[in-house]
């Protein structure tokens, strides 16, 4: 399903170059796990989306409690201790 309109656009060309350059790093090999129901394969994530979501929620809760827009003051306070 090739569409010549996409191949003419610079941002699509850039995206394809990035995908080609990092293809091997984009996907991890599945991990075989033996279970009572037989072997299953787990496809691990290559990103840390779960950890990023944790920190985003942590920052949001602290901003809501403190009323500050940025956590810069909080970081400065922690460094001082």
């Amino acid at each position: 399903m090739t569409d010549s309109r996409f191949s003419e656009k610079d941002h699509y060309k850039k995206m394809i170059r990035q995908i080609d350059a990092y293809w091997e790093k984009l996907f991890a090999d599945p991990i075989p796990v033996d279970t009572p129901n037989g072997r299953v394969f787990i496809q691990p994530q290559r990103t840390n989306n779960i950890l990023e979501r944790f920190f985003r929620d942590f920052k949001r809760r602290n901003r809501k409690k403190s009323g500050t827009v940025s956590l810069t003051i909080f970081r400065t306070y922690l460094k001082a201790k």
Side-chain angles (χ1 to χ4, degrees):
M1 184 168 174
T2 304
D3 191 336
S4 61
R5 293 177 296 161
F6 295 133
S7 62
E8 297 168 2
K9 305 211 182 245
D10 287 336
H11 55 279
Y12 286 109
K13 290 179 186 177
K14 182 178 179 183
M15 181 181 67
I16 295 300
R17 280 196 307 272
Q18 287 292 101
I19 290 172
D20 287 342
Y22 294 100
W23 183 260
E24 294 297 322
K25 298 176 184 176
L26 290 176
F27 304 101
D29 292 333
I31 300 170
V33 178
D34 293 321
T35 68
N37 295 328
R39 180 173 274 201
V40 296
F41 291 91
I42 298 173
Q43 185 68 43
Q45 290 187 352
R46 289 301 297 244
T47 64
N48 60 349
N49 288 336
I50 296 169
L51 189 59
E52 288 177 13
R53 185 182 317 152
F54 168 77
F55 283 115
R56 183 174 52 244
D57 291 342
F58 174 79
K59 287 170 60 174
R60 186 179 297 131
R61 280 192 306 272
N62 283 313
R63 284 193 303 261
K64 193 171 184 176
K65 285 180 185 178
S66 67
T68 59
V69 176
S70 172
L71 289 179
T72 304
I73 296 169
F74 181 68
R75 281 193 300 238
T76 305
Y77 174 76
L78 288 178
K79 285 181 184 179
K81 284 193 163 201

